[in-house]
Amino acid sequence: MSFRYSSQYSVNSVIEPQSNLKKKVREKMAFIIKKKRYKFQVELTLNELTEVSFGKATLFAKVRQLEGGNFQQSSAREEVENHAVRYDTKFNFPCKMAANSNTGVLDSCKCRV
């Protein structure tokens, strides 16, 4: 049976267990994947609403961003003509989206009209 004195330990024998520990932690934490964040300027054009059941009415459209921001705005009030409403309105708003760092595929960013 031989004993080693503290002066006999090499630097590598001290560093190796720490690097193995870091590798094990990375493997266990693999499910936490960092996502890159991107900002886009969105231009949404609302053209028309067709097949409206009302023969005569005044309607407006409300656009609301569900993910990636908090944009909310309404269009002008328009009359129904031939069961359709023409808006021809543009909405501009910023949208923040994330992408998986491995695949680069953007997550969805939904808005409701």
Side-chain angles (χ1 to χ4, degrees):
M1 196 163 163
S2 66
F3 294 100
R4 294 178 100 183
Y5 297 104
S6 62
S7 61
Q8 293 176 334
Y9 286 108
S10 67
V11 173
N12 289 339
S13 65
V14 174
I15 294 174
E16 269 185 47
Q18 289 178 354
S19 64
N20 287 341
L21 178 64
K22 286 181 182 178
K23 287 179 184 176
K24 288 179 184 177
V25 168
R26 280 189 204 134
E27 289 172 4
K28 288 183 180 180
M29 302 288 284
F31 65 90
I32 300 175
I33 298 172
K34 289 186 178 180
K35 292 187 172 189
K36 285 189 170 186
R37 303 279 296 169
Y38 297 98
K39 265 187 166 177
F40 293 97
Q41 187 66 27
V42 177
E43 182 179 288
L44 182 106
T45 304
L46 180 61
N47 291 326
E48 67 178 357
L49 178 64
T50 59
E51 299 182 26
V52 178
S53 59
F54 303 115
K56 224 167 176 20
T58 302
L59 299 176
F60 70 96
K62 184 176 182 181
V63 177
R64 189 167 63 102
Q65 192 175 3
L66 301 176
E67 299 171 357
N70 58 356
F71 175 78
Q72 183 173 332
Q73 195 171 353
S74 299
S75 70
R77 299 180 190 289
E78 300 289 337
E79 298 255 341
V80 176
E81 294 177 7
N82 296 331
H83 298 283
V85 182
R86 291 195 60 78
Y87 293 108
D88 294 325
T89 306
K90 290 187 179 182
F91 299 98
N92 292 306
F93 55 91
C95 181
K96 296 176 189 172
M97 298 175 74
N100 188 323
S101 60
N102 293 334
T103 62
V105 176
L106 288 170
D107 291 344
S108 66
C109 183
K110 299 174 185 173
C111 70
R112 176 178 288 155
V113 179

